[in-house]
Amino acid sequence: MSSPEILSPVSVSRVKNGKSRGSHITLLNSSPSSPRNTDKAACAEIQLMLKTKSNEYVIIENTGKHSSNCWNLFGFPAVINDNGDAERISGYVSCRKCFITYSFVSNSTRFLNQHNCEAVKERNQRLAANGTPSAQRRLTTFFAGQSPTLKTPEVMKIKDLQAEWVCQNIRPFSIVEDQGLRRLVQECISIGARHGYIDVDQVLRGADVTAAHVSRLADQHRIRISEELIEPLENDAVTFIPDLWSDPVHQVSYLGVSTTFVNDKFEYRSYDLCCSPFEEEDKSAENILVALQKALGKFNINDLSTLKFVTDRGSNFVKAMKNYSSYFCFAHRLNNILVLGFYQNESIKKQTKISDITGESKTDSDGVLNFYTLDGDIDNVLLVNMSKTKVQDLPDCVREVLKVLNNCKDVVKYVKLNGLNKDIQSEGGFSLCQSSKIRWLSIMQLLGSIDRSFKETKKVLQEKKKSFLIDRSVIKRLIQLLRPFKHILTIVQKGNEPSLYLVLICVMTLRKALSSFENLVVFNRENDNCNDVLKKRQDNGDDEYDIESEEPDGIRFFRLRLLELLESMFILEPIHFAATFLHPRYRYLRKCSTIQIDSCKSYVRRQLKEIVEREKVKRLIHNQESQRSIRPDEKGEPPLKKKKRFGQEYEAGNLSDEYDAAEDDEVEKYLSMFIDPELLVDNPLIFWKANQNNLPLLSKLARMVHSIPATTTAVEREFSGGGLVMNERRSSINPDNLNNILFVRSVTR
């Protein structure tokens, strides 16, 4: 097995004595508008270089004036140049012990002092042994340079103005911590320091001027984003996520479009391109395409046939995208499985009343219905067709679970309407959380809130003479059953890194967790995020609920029903296997069958062949255009033409020879590479950036595949922002302004 370089900097070459040495300069040349994940990727890559290339990357000491203890551990990462000197990589600091790297663009060291590694632990132990409290830090640690000290009356005046502003305009207290506001105030302070006293009206402009400037700023960013999308569009490394939304005030329909793409630096980007009024006659598939064409036309994108899309499974979007390269949202599918799994698509309240329950109902000493003692249900559960049975045909124990679920919803609704959360909190409990119809998994937050404050809620409701006939053990078992879904949806809805590779992993994890009660118990043990405070809070009465001993028939029914619906409603596609294969950590697809692995390899090889053919056509066209534009030399021969291949120059020649060798062996070469697992990170694009010359075709395919998000989270978050902009207090805002605000917010955060 070969062991090539795992990760190496992608950079400009410096030649000395016939040898080339890599420079890390280009890694850090990100544009000012790059999102935060660019810094994260750079930090991760610097850390890897410090670990693996100690002869080229070092950490130099902070020789400047400083007083913070963190500099005993931290230094500046640097590159050894051709002269043997260390050139500092500006904007970053690294730990000498563990090489962890952080972005460092200010003089504040508070975050660095919170860094915890073995070196810190050893230092704390030594300080403790010497009788010095390790947590104590100098006051000067929190200040940068010689800042003037405000007088007490000045500080109080600022506090008064802040408090009056928050109260008069009904703003949240947290607004004074908003970073945008603080940057604005800091710039005003800097202007005052340079020019002296200036009237505020000379600095701050009015609402109309600000709105007009937002429009101009949005237009400038649209031009920039249009140019930024050109190269990814040419390389099929862009995906668009469209959806429809109605604002909460006027119920006006909007078309939202977000995009995710991987640029030529292998950086994952996500922008909200538009949230504009849907002005077509109806929401038919044809009109959706018309509106989508108009929206993307503002970014000079006119041919939809070459684009990739991710949508939900709404019938209009399914029909609109049937002739396009489209994929469905994984999170929406899981939500639908849960809705159907618990019969939330039917009106079940009337069908789950106690009077409808056959057999003799038995209650415990607290008056709580104990449906586990019902007779004759075991055989019924085993004979039920899980996916097709209607509520009225279900066994009694199954209908009882649905009744408990409905009762929990009714309790929370009653508590919210009557303002009883404050009474529950005064008894030592927590506020009850309502669930959302759109995101059905929020029912787990509802169940969890009732479980945490069960006795307090019961006491408050009894004082109000409100019945509370809910079996707490059922709540705990439902939480146990839903935890795998919550865990999966939490990790798959990431917005700043590739996520499609997680779909295969998540489906296999769900299948395993739901396949048996024992596996479900193990999953809950490994993923129980309940904090120590809540665990300590549980009183001795909770010990009677042993939810790991056995699985009641009612819960078993729903576990098997969810498993069956997962198998029937979600089909893993080749793109899901390919995305996981193109993550170096999961490239062997160890949990998959031999047939699945072979099919994945075949699919990847077919994609590589298509890439080769497209590249040949593109270069032939470009070659013909060049021949027309270049004049023949004196001998009548056109001068030697040079093309660019993945950022490198090469001489134009036999295009069929260009990729054939790489096409045949890149898959096996990738599989045979030695990759240290400790050097791999969650973002697979870091690996492909470093290996784009070693694996040119696979790295190109990786850009294409990893630009596809697993969910429509990006556009959903845009709509959440739209709901904050368009509210009762801003009900007259112009839709164009709403569109501009959300766009500028997206491209500048």
Side-chain angles (χ1 to χ4, degrees), residues 305-342:
S305 63
T306 61
L307 307 181
K308 300 192 297 283
F309 298 93
V310 172
T311 68
D312 59 26
R313 292 178 183 264
S315 58
N316 49 359
F317 274 103
V318 172
K319 185 177 180 181
M321 295 299 162
K322 66 179 181 180
N323 295 324
Y324 296 89
S325 177
S326 62
Y327 308 91
F328 292 123
C329 173
F330 179 54
H332 276 83
R333 180 88 306 192
L334 290 185
N335 186 77
N336 292 341
I337 288 172
L338 288 165
V339 169
L340 293 175
F342 286 94

mmCIF file of all heavy atoms in Angstrom, residues 305-342:
data_model
loop_
_atom_site.group_PDB
_atom_site.id
_atom_site.type_symbol
_atom_site.label_atom_id
_atom_site.label_comp_id
_atom_site.label_asym_id
_atom_site.label_seq_id
_atom_site.Cartn_x
_atom_site.Cartn_y
_atom_site.Cartn_z
ATOM 1 N N SER A 305 -31.279 24.339 -17.035
ATOM 2 C CA SER A 305 -31.079 22.917 -17.346
ATOM 3 C C SER A 305 -29.732 22.399 -16.887
ATOM 4 O O SER A 305 -29.547 21.195 -16.733
ATOM 5 C CB SER A 305 -31.228 22.688 -18.855
ATOM 6 O OG SER A 305 -30.220 23.386 -19.573
ATOM 7 N N THR A 306 -28.776 23.288 -16.664
ATOM 8 C CA THR A 306 -27.442 22.853 -16.257
ATOM 9 C C THR A 306 -27.245 22.902 -14.742
ATOM 10 O O THR A 306 -26.148 22.617 -14.262
ATOM 11 C CB THR A 306 -26.382 23.747 -16.919
ATOM 12 O OG1 THR A 306 -26.571 25.103 -16.484
ATOM 13 C CG2 THR A 306 -26.485 23.675 -18.432
ATOM 14 N N LEU A 307 -28.298 23.258 -13.996
ATOM 15 C CA LEU A 307 -28.158 23.476 -12.558
ATOM 16 C C LEU A 307 -28.620 22.265 -11.751
ATOM 17 O O LEU A 307 -29.362 21.414 -12.236
ATOM 18 C CB LEU A 307 -28.972 24.704 -12.138
ATOM 19 C CG LEU A 307 -28.716 25.998 -12.916
ATOM 20 C CD1 LEU A 307 -29.585 27.117 -12.364
ATOM 21 C CD2 LEU A 307 -27.238 26.375 -12.877
ATOM 22 N N LYS A 308 -28.180 22.223 -10.491
ATOM 23 C CA LYS A 308 -28.634 21.216 -9.526
ATOM 24 C C LYS A 308 -29.521 21.916 -8.498
ATOM 25 O O LYS A 308 -29.267 23.064 -8.112
ATOM 26 C CB LYS A 308 -27.451 20.542 -8.825
ATOM 27 C CG LYS A 308 -26.498 19.819 -9.763
ATOM 28 C CD LYS A 308 -25.538 18.938 -8.976
ATOM 29 C CE LYS A 308 -24.636 19.723 -8.055
ATOM 30 N NZ LYS A 308 -23.528 20.387 -8.736
ATOM 31 N N PHE A 309 -30.535 21.173 -8.008
ATOM 32 C CA PHE A 309 -31.471 21.738 -7.040
ATOM 33 C C PHE A 309 -31.683 20.751 -5.889
ATOM 34 O O PHE A 309 -31.618 19.532 -6.080
ATOM 35 C CB PHE A 309 -32.823 22.041 -7.692
ATOM 36 C CG PHE A 309 -32.757 23.057 -8.797
ATOM 37 C CD1 PHE A 309 -32.598 22.670 -10.125
ATOM 38 C CD2 PHE A 309 -32.851 24.413 -8.512
ATOM 39 C CE1 PHE A 309 -32.545 23.604 -11.138
ATOM 40 C CE2 PHE A 309 -32.800 25.357 -9.523
ATOM 41 C CZ PHE A 309 -32.645 24.949 -10.842
ATOM 42 N N VAL A 310 -31.967 21.305 -4.715
ATOM 43 C CA VAL A 310 -32.438 20.525 -3.570
ATOM 44 C C VAL A 310 -33.738 21.160 -3.101
ATOM 45 O O VAL A 310 -33.773 22.370 -2.836
ATOM 46 C CB VAL A 310 -31.408 20.507 -2.422
ATOM 47 C CG1 VAL A 310 -32.006 19.850 -1.181
ATOM 48 C CG2 VAL A 310 -30.148 19.765 -2.836
ATOM 49 N N THR A 311 -34.808 20.374 -3.019
ATOM 50 C CA THR A 311 -36.121 20.899 -2.639
ATOM 51 C C THR A 311 -36.792 19.962 -1.646
ATOM 52 O O THR A 311 -36.310 18.851 -1.390
ATOM 53 C CB THR A 311 -37.043 21.042 -3.870
ATOM 54 O OG1 THR A 311 -37.371 19.730 -4.357
ATOM 55 C CG2 THR A 311 -36.360 21.831 -4.977
ATOM 56 N N ASP A 312 -37.922 20.436 -1.101
ATOM 57 C CA ASP A 312 -38.749 19.535 -0.312
ATOM 58 C C ASP A 312 -39.606 18.710 -1.272
ATOM 59 O O ASP A 312 -39.457 18.799 -2.493
ATOM 60 C CB ASP A 312 -39.615 20.308 0.693
ATOM 61 C CG ASP A 312 -40.547 21.314 0.019
ATOM 62 O OD1 ASP A 312 -40.897 21.112 -1.166
ATOM 63 O OD2 ASP A 312 -40.936 22.297 0.676
ATOM 64 N N ARG A 313 -40.513 17.906 -0.732
ATOM 65 C CA ARG A 313 -41.307 17.020 -1.574
ATOM 66 C C ARG A 313 -42.711 17.568 -1.847
ATOM 67 O O ARG A 313 -43.644 16.801 -2.053
ATOM 68 C CB ARG A 313 -41.393 15.637 -0.923
ATOM 69 C CG ARG A 313 -40.057 14.921 -0.904
ATOM 70 C CD ARG A 313 -40.160 13.570 -0.203
ATOM 71 N NE ARG A 313 -38.859 12.925 -0.141
ATOM 72 C CZ ARG A 313 -38.423 12.013 -1.014
ATOM 73 N NH1 ARG A 313 -39.194 11.648 -2.010
ATOM 74 N NH2 ARG A 313 -37.230 11.469 -0.881
ATOM 75 N N GLY A 314 -42.861 18.885 -1.821
ATOM 76 C CA GLY A 314 -44.125 19.477 -2.217
ATOM 77 C C GLY A 314 -44.442 19.109 -3.660
ATOM 78 O O GLY A 314 -43.560 19.105 -4.526
ATOM 79 N N SER A 315 -45.693 18.808 -3.927
ATOM 80 C CA SER A 315 -46.063 18.297 -5.249
ATOM 81 C C SER A 315 -45.698 19.272 -6.364
ATOM 82 O O SER A 315 -45.302 18.854 -7.458
ATOM 83 C CB SER A 315 -47.562 17.992 -5.291
ATOM 84 O OG SER A 315 -48.321 19.160 -4.978
ATOM 85 N N ASN A 316 -45.818 20.587 -6.097
ATOM 86 C CA ASN A 316 -45.497 21.555 -7.147
ATOM 87 C C ASN A 316 -43.996 21.577 -7.451
ATOM 88 O O ASN A 316 -43.588 21.675 -8.612
ATOM 89 C CB ASN A 316 -45.994 22.957 -6.774
ATOM 90 C CG ASN A 316 -45.591 23.358 -5.368
ATOM 91 O OD1 ASN A 316 -44.956 22.598 -4.634
ATOM 92 N ND2 ASN A 316 -45.958 24.567 -4.984
ATOM 93 N N PHE A 317 -43.165 21.451 -6.415
ATOM 94 C CA PHE A 317 -41.718 21.428 -6.652
ATOM 95 C C PHE A 317 -41.284 20.104 -7.276
ATOM 96 O O PHE A 317 -40.376 20.072 -8.108
ATOM 97 C CB PHE A 317 -40.962 21.671 -5.344
ATOM 98 C CG PHE A 317 -40.772 23.126 -5.032
ATOM 99 C CD1 PHE A 317 -41.559 23.750 -4.085
ATOM 100 C CD2 PHE A 317 -39.821 23.877 -5.700
ATOM 101 C CE1 PHE A 317 -41.402 25.093 -3.803
ATOM 102 C CE2 PHE A 317 -39.654 25.224 -5.427
ATOM 103 C CZ PHE A 317 -40.448 25.834 -4.476
ATOM 104 N N VAL A 318 -41.907 19.000 -6.870
ATOM 105 C CA VAL A 318 -41.584 17.709 -7.476
ATOM 106 C C VAL A 318 -41.857 17.747 -8.974
ATOM 107 O O VAL A 318 -41.035 17.295 -9.794
ATOM 108 C CB VAL A 318 -42.391 16.575 -6.809
ATOM 109 C CG1 VAL A 318 -42.203 15.261 -7.563
ATOM 110 C CG2 VAL A 318 -41.968 16.402 -5.354
ATOM 111 N N LYS A 319 -43.001 18.307 -9.342
ATOM 112 C CA LYS A 319 -43.361 18.395 -10.766
ATOM 113 C C LYS A 319 -42.464 19.383 -11.493
ATOM 114 O O LYS A 319 -42.048 19.138 -12.643
ATOM 115 C CB LYS A 319 -44.825 18.811 -10.901
ATOM 116 C CG LYS A 319 -45.338 18.822 -12.333
ATOM 117 C CD LYS A 319 -46.814 19.168 -12.390
ATOM 118 C CE LYS A 319 -47.327 19.180 -13.835
ATOM 119 N NZ LYS A 319 -48.760 19.538 -13.904
ATOM 120 N N ALA A 320 -42.139 20.505 -10.851
ATOM 121 C CA ALA A 320 -41.309 21.520 -11.500
ATOM 122 C C ALA A 320 -39.906 21.003 -11.786
ATOM 123 O O ALA A 320 -39.299 21.346 -12.810
ATOM 124 C CB ALA A 320 -41.243 22.773 -10.634
ATOM 125 N N MET A 321 -39.385 20.145 -10.913
ATOM 126 C CA MET A 321 -37.995 19.712 -11.025
ATOM 127 C C MET A 321 -37.823 18.350 -11.682
ATOM 128 O O MET A 321 -36.731 17.816 -11.707
ATOM 129 C CB MET A 321 -37.360 19.680 -9.614
ATOM 130 C CG MET A 321 -37.269 21.037 -8.964
ATOM 131 S SD MET A 321 -36.228 22.147 -9.941
ATOM 132 C CE MET A 321 -36.712 23.738 -9.307
ATOM 133 N N LYS A 322 -38.893 17.790 -12.217
ATOM 134 C CA LYS A 322 -38.812 16.424 -12.738
ATOM 135 C C LYS A 322 -37.853 16.310 -13.922
ATOM 136 O O LYS A 322 -37.291 15.239 -14.166
ATOM 137 C CB LYS A 322 -40.197 15.915 -13.116
ATOM 138 C CG LYS A 322 -40.846 16.646 -14.293
ATOM 139 C CD LYS A 322 -42.217 16.047 -14.623
ATOM 140 C CE LYS A 322 -42.859 16.769 -15.811
ATOM 141 N NZ LYS A 322 -44.187 16.176 -16.133
ATOM 142 N N ASN A 323 -37.657 17.390 -14.675
ATOM 143 C CA ASN A 323 -36.761 17.352 -15.832
ATOM 144 C C ASN A 323 -35.393 17.952 -15.532
ATOM 145 O O ASN A 323 -34.596 18.173 -16.445
ATOM 146 C CB ASN A 323 -37.398 18.097 -17.013
ATOM 147 C CG ASN A 323 -38.661 17.417 -17.505
ATOM 148 O OD1 ASN A 323 -38.757 16.189 -17.513
ATOM 149 N ND2 ASN A 323 -39.646 18.217 -17.908
ATOM 150 N N TYR A 324 -35.131 18.210 -14.244
ATOM 151 C CA TYR A 324 -33.866 18.825 -13.856
ATOM 152 C C TYR A 324 -33.116 17.892 -12.905
ATOM 153 O O TYR A 324 -33.673 16.923 -12.377
ATOM 154 C CB TYR A 324 -34.101 20.179 -13.181
ATOM 155 C CG TYR A 324 -34.736 21.199 -14.095
ATOM 156 C CD1 TYR A 324 -36.125 21.302 -14.193
ATOM 157 C CD2 TYR A 324 -33.962 22.043 -14.869
ATOM 158 C CE1 TYR A 324 -36.715 22.231 -15.033
ATOM 159 C CE2 TYR A 324 -34.551 22.975 -15.714
ATOM 160 C CZ TYR A 324 -35.923 23.065 -15.794
ATOM 161 O OH TYR A 324 -36.502 23.980 -16.623
ATOM 162 N N SER A 325 -31.850 18.204 -12.696
ATOM 163 C CA SER A 325 -31.048 17.446 -11.741
ATOM 164 C C SER A 325 -31.408 17.921 -10.339
ATOM 165 O O SER A 325 -30.955 18.984 -9.903
ATOM 166 C CB SER A 325 -29.557 17.674 -12.023
ATOM 167 O OG SER A 325 -28.759 17.002 -11.081
ATOM 168 N N SER A 326 -32.238 17.157 -9.661
ATOM 169 C CA SER A 326 -32.747 17.604 -8.360
ATOM 170 C C SER A 326 -32.669 16.488 -7.330
ATOM 171 O O SER A 326 -32.686 15.300 -7.664
ATOM 172 C CB SER A 326 -34.198 18.088 -8.486
ATOM 173 O OG SER A 326 -35.036 17.039 -8.903
ATOM 174 N N TYR A 327 -32.586 16.901 -6.071
ATOM 175 C CA TYR A 327 -32.511 15.980 -4.943
ATOM 176 C C TYR A 327 -33.479 16.473 -3.876
ATOM 177 O O TYR A 327 -33.804 17.664 -3.803
ATOM 178 C CB TYR A 327 -31.083 15.909 -4.388
ATOM 179 C CG TYR A 327 -30.057 15.623 -5.456
ATOM 180 C CD1 TYR A 327 -29.430 16.663 -6.138
ATOM 181 C CD2 TYR A 327 -29.732 14.327 -5.814
ATOM 182 C CE1 TYR A 327 -28.503 16.416 -7.134
ATOM 183 C CE2 TYR A 327 -28.803 14.061 -6.808
ATOM 184 C CZ TYR A 327 -28.195 15.110 -7.463
ATOM 185 O OH TYR A 327 -27.291 14.863 -8.459
ATOM 186 N N PHE A 328 -33.924 15.542 -3.025
ATOM 187 C CA PHE A 328 -34.907 15.895 -2.008
ATOM 188 C C PHE A 328 -34.253 16.091 -0.648
ATOM 189 O O PHE A 328 -33.230 15.471 -0.325
ATOM 190 C CB PHE A 328 -35.983 14.813 -1.913
ATOM 191 C CG PHE A 328 -36.861 14.721 -3.123
ATOM 192 C CD1 PHE A 328 -36.977 13.535 -3.834
ATOM 193 C CD2 PHE A 328 -37.563 15.828 -3.565
ATOM 194 C CE1 PHE A 328 -37.778 13.452 -4.955
ATOM 195 C CE2 PHE A 328 -38.372 15.761 -4.692
ATOM 196 C CZ PHE A 328 -38.479 14.571 -5.390
ATOM 197 N N CYS A 329 -34.875 16.943 0.146
ATOM 198 C CA CYS A 329 -34.374 17.272 1.481
ATOM 199 C C CYS A 329 -34.503 16.060 2.404
ATOM 200 O O CYS A 329 -35.586 15.495 2.570
ATOM 201 C CB CYS A 329 -35.150 18.461 2.038
ATOM 202 S SG CYS A 329 -34.772 18.856 3.754
ATOM 203 N N PHE A 330 -33.411 15.678 3.020
ATOM 204 C CA PHE A 330 -33.388 14.532 3.930
ATOM 205 C C PHE A 330 -34.175 14.823 5.209
ATOM 206 O O PHE A 330 -34.884 13.957 5.732
ATOM 207 C CB PHE A 330 -31.939 14.186 4.258
ATOM 208 C CG PHE A 330 -31.775 13.033 5.198
ATOM 209 C CD1 PHE A 330 -32.364 11.802 4.930
ATOM 210 C CD2 PHE A 330 -31.017 13.161 6.360
ATOM 211 C CE1 PHE A 330 -32.202 10.729 5.797
ATOM 212 C CE2 PHE A 330 -30.850 12.098 7.226
ATOM 213 C CZ PHE A 330 -31.451 10.883 6.946
ATOM 214 N N ALA A 331 -34.069 16.037 5.720
ATOM 215 C CA ALA A 331 -34.760 16.393 6.964
ATOM 216 C C ALA A 331 -36.273 16.364 6.783
ATOM 217 O O ALA A 331 -37.009 15.917 7.676
ATOM 218 C CB ALA A 331 -34.314 17.776 7.443
ATOM 219 N N HIS A 332 -36.773 16.829 5.630
ATOM 220 C CA HIS A 332 -38.210 16.783 5.379
ATOM 221 C C HIS A 332 -38.712 15.338 5.323
ATOM 222 O O HIS A 332 -39.809 15.040 5.806
ATOM 223 C CB HIS A 332 -38.541 17.485 4.058
ATOM 224 C CG HIS A 332 -38.681 18.972 4.181
ATOM 225 N ND1 HIS A 332 -37.609 19.812 4.161
ATOM 226 C CD2 HIS A 332 -39.776 19.765 4.338
ATOM 227 C CE1 HIS A 332 -38.024 21.060 4.293
ATOM 228 N NE2 HIS A 332 -39.333 21.065 4.402
ATOM 229 N N ARG A 333 -37.914 14.470 4.759
ATOM 230 C CA ARG A 333 -38.333 13.071 4.677
ATOM 231 C C ARG A 333 -38.429 12.445 6.074
ATOM 232 O O ARG A 333 -39.387 11.727 6.377
ATOM 233 C CB ARG A 333 -37.342 12.285 3.812
ATOM 234 C CG ARG A 333 -37.711 10.820 3.668
ATOM 235 C CD ARG A 333 -38.654 10.506 2.522
ATOM 236 N NE ARG A 333 -39.903 11.249 2.473
ATOM 237 C CZ ARG A 333 -40.913 10.933 1.674
ATOM 238 N NH1 ARG A 333 -40.823 9.885 0.860
ATOM 239 N NH2 ARG A 333 -41.996 11.651 1.650
ATOM 240 N N LEU A 334 -37.462 12.732 6.926
ATOM 241 C CA LEU A 334 -37.524 12.218 8.295
ATOM 242 C C LEU A 334 -38.725 12.783 9.038
ATOM 243 O O LEU A 334 -39.384 12.074 9.819
ATOM 244 C CB LEU A 334 -36.230 12.550 9.049
ATOM 245 C CG LEU A 334 -34.965 11.810 8.615
ATOM 246 C CD1 LEU A 334 -33.815 12.156 9.546
ATOM 247 C CD2 LEU A 334 -35.176 10.302 8.590
ATOM 248 N N ASN A 335 -39.012 14.059 8.801
ATOM 249 C CA ASN A 335 -40.185 14.665 9.434
ATOM 250 C C ASN A 335 -41.465 13.965 8.984
ATOM 251 O O ASN A 335 -42.357 13.680 9.796
ATOM 252 C CB ASN A 335 -40.248 16.148 9.092
ATOM 253 C CG ASN A 335 -41.351 16.875 9.831
ATOM 254 O OD1 ASN A 335 -41.233 17.186 11.000
ATOM 255 N ND2 ASN A 335 -42.447 17.132 9.136
ATOM 256 N N ASN A 336 -41.556 13.668 7.686
ATOM 257 C CA ASN A 336 -42.738 12.969 7.173
ATOM 258 C C ASN A 336 -42.864 11.569 7.755
ATOM 259 O O ASN A 336 -43.968 11.094 8.025
ATOM 260 C CB ASN A 336 -42.674 12.896 5.645
ATOM 261 C CG ASN A 336 -42.824 14.254 4.993
ATOM 262 O OD1 ASN A 336 -43.314 15.192 5.610
ATOM 263 N ND2 ASN A 336 -42.371 14.375 3.759
ATOM 264 N N ILE A 337 -41.734 10.904 7.939
ATOM 265 C CA ILE A 337 -41.751 9.563 8.539
ATOM 266 C C ILE A 337 -42.298 9.624 9.958
ATOM 267 O O ILE A 337 -43.105 8.780 10.374
ATOM 268 C CB ILE A 337 -40.333 8.960 8.515
ATOM 269 C CG1 ILE A 337 -39.940 8.585 7.079
ATOM 270 C CG2 ILE A 337 -40.237 7.733 9.418
ATOM 271 C CD1 ILE A 337 -38.497 8.159 6.927
ATOM 272 N N LEU A 338 -41.911 10.639 10.708
ATOM 273 C CA LEU A 338 -42.399 10.785 12.080
ATOM 274 C C LEU A 338 -43.877 11.147 12.110
ATOM 275 O O LEU A 338 -44.633 10.647 12.946
ATOM 276 C CB LEU A 338 -41.573 11.843 12.811
ATOM 277 C CG LEU A 338 -40.149 11.420 13.178
ATOM 278 C CD1 LEU A 338 -39.315 12.620 13.566
ATOM 279 C CD2 LEU A 338 -40.165 10.406 14.310
ATOM 280 N N VAL A 339 -44.286 12.027 11.203
ATOM 281 C CA VAL A 339 -45.706 12.406 11.141
ATOM 282 C C VAL A 339 -46.568 11.188 10.862
ATOM 283 O O VAL A 339 -47.580 10.938 11.540
ATOM 284 C CB VAL A 339 -45.926 13.489 10.068
ATOM 285 C CG1 VAL A 339 -47.417 13.690 9.799
ATOM 286 C CG2 VAL A 339 -45.304 14.806 10.511
ATOM 287 N N LEU A 340 -46.184 10.404 9.869
ATOM 288 C CA LEU A 340 -46.951 9.201 9.540
ATOM 289 C C LEU A 340 -46.786 8.135 10.613
ATOM 290 O O LEU A 340 -47.724 7.398 10.925
ATOM 291 C CB LEU A 340 -46.502 8.650 8.183
ATOM 292 C CG LEU A 340 -46.829 9.517 6.962
ATOM 293 C CD1 LEU A 340 -46.229 8.908 5.708
ATOM 294 C CD2 LEU A 340 -48.331 9.667 6.801
ATOM 295 N N GLY A 341 -45.595 8.058 11.171
ATOM 296 C CA GLY A 341 -45.342 7.027 12.176
ATOM 297 C C GLY A 341 -46.227 7.158 13.392
ATOM 298 O O GLY A 341 -46.658 6.157 13.980
ATOM 299 N N PHE A 342 -46.527 8.384 13.780
ATOM 300 C CA PHE A 342 -47.377 8.616 14.949
ATOM 301 C C PHE A 342 -48.771 9.101 14.549
ATOM 302 O O PHE A 342 -49.473 9.711 15.360
ATOM 303 C CB PHE A 342 -46.711 9.624 15.886
ATOM 304 C CG PHE A 342 -45.554 9.049 16.647
ATOM 305 C CD1 PHE A 342 -44.262 9.177 16.167
ATOM 306 C CD2 PHE A 342 -45.749 8.356 17.834
ATOM 307 C CE1 PHE A 342 -43.185 8.646 16.856
ATOM 308 C CE2 PHE A 342 -44.685 7.825 18.532
ATOM 309 C CZ PHE A 342 -43.385 7.961 18.041
#
